[in-house]
């Protein structure tokens, strides 16, 4: 707990009520970011944008959809990693020209954005935010102009327009080859939707159909289900998907090894999503089973920390034969938006968010499963909550290996010296959180549970694909 993926993105093409569908999709991606939300929509000639701070349901009221008309839309929910928490950094980003616009939504984090930012500024670009996502947008514009593209000319003769579309697609390809880091992008012009996934596929992106002629590109397959669409496939690593009036076109702009962020399966993704062919819930069950095999302990009940520890807890119970109990209840009505300014207040938020069910725990030896230990403060509070409810013993099990290194690719992990596993040995962590025993899954065990080794594991190993 305490990790955050940067964002969720969605793009919709060819649906009469694209902004409404975008809204439902963003609601299902709300777990990926609760800080700001936005939707840009095109009616074929102009792009209209609405964004604001807060949850999707706070940012969009009924009246907004009367102005958000059109059949192409891109949407975004944000959790800040790069760039501060301000409305300027809310997405999608939009660039308007004399007779055209583009809008872009980005999930991930660039590692070379400072260099590109300086380069663009030297060439006369101006920036309204501190976000690396705006750098991507400005770079596309720059490449487009260099390719001889006229900025947004839906009114010129068709041949010119088609040439301009080709120049724009080329600009996106050149940009994707130039930026480094993690990125899943949804980009739109007045009459085209483009999805881009980074060369290693660190951040997820998938493709679906809503009906015979509408498409959806989004971070997770649960968003396709939310609009009653049908999952087609994952966007491949180093792939650009272009959707326009001619249908769907795929461009492979680079060949690299797949390295999906392993934390998608541990924590970020919703359990009902399938990412790169692996069911998130199934992966969590298996991690729990592996944990039971590696670190068994005599106990009366297995419980999981809601929400991302529940699948692993069920797997642990199934493999160990120890009954699964609910044990902990989560208050649904506190978003992750609550901003507790001091560390002490942040820690006390755990008592507001989670509570123990005494009848499940009293007088029992309890195994509690969580998805990760980051700073260790939440885990310590959790053990206190369980003991307060009368647990006789508390055995803490973690369905990911110790997080020892910060993430540079789009997850808000603390710096190395704040990561408890980077500064403490296992026994010291057990003492710090106050558990009777503590064990993490091994990295080998985790990969076995996932059935392959095609992941970015930088936070565990310190080795990054970029």
């Amino acid at each position: 707990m305490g990790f955050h993926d940067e964002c969720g993105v969605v793009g919709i093409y060819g649906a009469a009520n694209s902004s409404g569908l975008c809204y439902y999709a963003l609601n299902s991606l709300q777990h990926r970011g609760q800080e700001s939300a936005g939707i840009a929509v095109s009616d074929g000639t102009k792009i209209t944008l609405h964004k604001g701070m807060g949850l999707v349901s706070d940012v969009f009221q009924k009246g907004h959809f009367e102005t958000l008309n059109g059949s192409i839309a891109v949407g975004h929910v944000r959790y800040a990693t790069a760039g501060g928490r301000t409305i300027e950094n809310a997405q999608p980003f939009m660039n308007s020209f004399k007779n055209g616009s583009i809008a872009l939504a980005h999930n991930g984090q660039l590692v070379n954005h400072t260099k590109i930012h300086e380069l663009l500024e030297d060439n006369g670009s101006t920036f309204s935010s501190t976000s690396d996502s705006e750098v991507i947008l400005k770079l596309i514009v720059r490449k487009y102009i260099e390719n001889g593209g006229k900025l947004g000319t839906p009114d010129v003769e068709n041949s010119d327009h088609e040439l301009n579309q080709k120049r724009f697609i080329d600009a996106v390809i050149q940009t994707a080859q130039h930026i480094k880091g993690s990125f899943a992008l949804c980009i739109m012009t007045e009459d085209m939707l483009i999805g881009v996934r980074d060369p290693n596929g660190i951040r997820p992106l998938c493709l679906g159909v809503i009906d015979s002629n509408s498409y959806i590109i989004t971070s997770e397959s649960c968003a396709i289900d939310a609009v009653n669409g049908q999952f087609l496939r994952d966007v491949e690593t180093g792939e650009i998907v272009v959707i326009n009036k001619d249908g769907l076109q795929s461009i492979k702009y680079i060949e690299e090894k797949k390295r999906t962020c392993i934390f998608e399966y541990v924590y970020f993704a919703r359990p009902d999503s399938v990412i790169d062919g692996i069911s998130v819930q199934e992966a969590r069950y298996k991690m729990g089973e592996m944990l039971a095999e590696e670190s068994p302990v005599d106990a009366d009940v297995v419980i999981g920390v809601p929400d991302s520890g529940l699948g692993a807890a069920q797997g642990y119970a199934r493999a160990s034969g120890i009954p699964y109990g609910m044990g902990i209840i989560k208050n649904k009505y506190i978003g992750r938006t609550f901003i507790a300014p001091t560390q002490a207040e942040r820690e006390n938020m755990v008592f507001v968010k989670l509570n123990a069910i005494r009848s499940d725990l009293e007088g029992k030896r309890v195994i509690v499963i969580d998805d990760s230990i980051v700073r260790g403060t939440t885990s310590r509070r959790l053990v206190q909550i369980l003991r307060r409810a009368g647990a006789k013993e508390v055995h803490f099990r973690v369905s990911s290996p110790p997080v020892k290194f910060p993430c540079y690719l789009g997850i808000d992990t603390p710096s190395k010296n704040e990561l408890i596993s980077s500064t403490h040995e296992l026994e010291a962590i057990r003492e710090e959180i106050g558990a009777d025993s503590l064990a993490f899954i091994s990295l080998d065990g985790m990969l076995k549970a996932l059935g392959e080794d095609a992941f970015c594991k930088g936070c565990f190993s310190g080795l990054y694909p970029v």
Side-chain angles (χ1 to χ4, degrees):
M1 292 176 80
F3 267 84
H4 294 281
D5 179 32
E6 195 175 331
C7 312
V9 298
V10 59
I12 288 174
Y13 181 93
N17 60 333
S18 66
S19 61
L21 293 173
C22 213
Y23 173 83
Y24 294 127
L26 288 180
N27 261 303
S28 74
L29 296 174
Q30 187 75 82
H31 59 286
R32 296 186 76 88
Q34 295 83 25
E35 189 178 279
S36 64
I39 294 174
V41 61
S42 165
D43 61 4
T45 54
K46 70 172 194 310
I47 297 176
T48 311
L49 170 68
H50 178 76
K51 57 185 177 180
M53 302 302 285
L55 300 175
V56 178
S57 55
D58 299 330
V59 173
F60 294 95
Q61 306 303 320
K62 209 169 173 208
H64 291 132
F65 293 95
E66 285 160 25
T67 54
L68 291 169
N69 295 319
S71 62
I72 310 176
V74 299
H76 190 270
V77 285
R78 179 166 192 268
Y79 181 94
T81 51
R85 295 167 164 77
T86 61
I87 185 67
E88 286 77 38
N89 289 324
Q91 296 191 36
F93 282 112
M94 186 164 135
N95 215 329
S96 297
F97 323 105
K98 194 169 75 217
N99 45 3
S101 326
I102 60 173
L104 171 144
H106 166 221
N107 168 31
Q109 199 168 351
L110 302 188
V111 290
N112 64 339
H113 75 275
T114 316
K115 213 156 96 189
I116 300 172
H117 192 287
E118 286 167 6
L119 198 82
L120 288 166
E121 272 193 329
D122 293 345
N123 280 307
S125 293
T126 56
F127 292 86
S128 61
S129 75
T130 55
S131 165
D132 55 351
S133 311
E134 194 183 5
V135 172
I136 303 174
L137 181 71
K138 301 285 184 180
L139 188 59
I140 294 171
V141 173
R142 172 116 216 115
K143 298 278 183 200
Y144 179 58
I145 295 167
E146 284 171 4
N147 294 347
K150 297 186 177 57
L151 291 173
T153 42
D155 48 354
V156 293
E157 291 94 72
N158 214 15
S159 62
D160 260 14
H161 182 52
E162 273 170 25
L163 183 62
N164 264 333
Q165 274 207 345
K166 192 190 167 315
R167 284 169 175 156
F168 186 79
I169 295 164
D170 287 343
V172 172
I173 295 169
Q174 290 161 338
T175 299
Q177 289 167 337
H178 195 72
I179 55 180
K180 288 187 174 31
S182 64
F183 50 93
L185 305 172
C186 286
I187 307 161
M188 66 186 275
T189 63
E190 283 78 11
D191 55 2
M192 179 164 54
L193 175 68
I194 300 177
V196 187
R197 195 170 178 194
D198 71 60
N200 298 106
I202 297 168
R203 301 262 74 93
L205 198 65
C206 61
L207 178 65
V209 283
I210 302 172
D211 49 45
S212 54
N213 51 5
S214 330
Y215 289 93
I216 174 170
I217 300 170
T218 185
S219 296
E220 284 185 49
S221 61
C222 65
I224 299 176
D225 299 332
V227 297
N228 198 19
Q230 193 189 340
F231 175 85
L232 280 181
R233 62 176 178 86
D234 291 281
V235 175
E236 287 175 30
T237 60
E239 184 187 13
I240 292 175
V241 177
V242 179
I243 305 168
N244 57 20
K245 66 173 188 351
D246 303 325
L248 187 137
Q249 179 196 359
S250 160
I251 302 159
K252 192 86 171 164
Y253 66 91
I254 195 163
E255 285 290 344
E256 288 280 355
K257 269 209 198 82
K258 181 169 86 72
R259 287 284 178 258
T260 315
C261 167
I262 205 161
F263 249 90
E264 289 288 346
Y265 299 98
V266 175
Y267 174 80
F268 305 140
R270 245 172 57 162
D272 50 336
S273 287
V274 177
I275 296 174
D276 292 328
I278 300 172
S279 151
V280 173
Q281 183 70 339
E282 194 54 39
R284 289 176 186 170
Y285 287 149
K286 285 183 176 153
M287 286 177 211
E289 288 173 359
M290 189 53 69
L291 200 48
E293 204 176 294
E294 290 183 346
S295 308
V297 60
D298 277 340
D300 306 305
V301 65
V302 179
I303 65 171
V305 180
D307 289 309
S308 36
L310 300 180
Q314 284 158 7
Y316 193 104
R318 198 158 67 186
S320 64
I322 300 167
Y324 171 77
M326 195 167 172
I328 301 170
I329 188 91
K330 182 182 178 186
N331 181 346
K332 292 191 193 55
Y333 301 99
I334 306 174
R336 291 186 199 164
T337 39
F338 191 95
I339 298 158
T342 69
Q343 183 61 29
E345 280 177 281
R346 260 203 304 272
E347 287 178 35
N348 285 330
M349 275 306 294
V350 179
F351 294 124
V352 183
K353 236 166 144 169
L354 301 173
N355 197 18
I357 302 170
R358 183 173 279 272
S359 57
D360 279 358
L361 306 166
E362 198 160 15
K364 291 183 178 168
R365 299 167 300 169
V366 179
I367 298 171
V368 58
I369 315 268
D370 204 353
D371 59 75
S372 56
I373 295 182
V374 182
R375 286 189 179 90
T377 45
T378 305
S379 311
R380 188 170 74 236
R381 288 285 187 259
L382 208 53
V383 173
Q384 284 176 356
I385 289 170
L386 299 175
R387 294 210 190 277
R388 192 175 68 185
K392 196 164 75 182
E393 292 172 14
V394 178
H395 300 280
F396 213 101
R397 295 290 178 271
V398 187
S399 61
S400 64
V403 174
K404 295 186 173 179
F405 302 91
C407 176
Y408 303 103
L409 298 169
I411 307 158
D412 181 23
T413 49
S415 59
K416 195 170 179 208
N417 57 3
E418 287 180 88
L419 295 167
I420 193 167
S421 293
S422 145
T423 53
H424 295 63
E425 291 302 313
L426 188 71
E427 179 56 24
I429 301 171
R430 184 198 65 73
E431 270 181 34
E432 180 77 22
I433 68 172
D436 293 284
S437 75
L438 168 67
F440 292 84
I441 195 172
S442 67
L443 188 51
D444 284 348
M446 187 183 196
L447 295 172
K448 209 163 137 189
L450 287 160
E452 57 176 80
D453 181 6
F455 305 99
C456 174
K457 311 178 284 280
C459 51
F460 307 136
S461 65
L463 302 169
Y464 304 91
V466 180

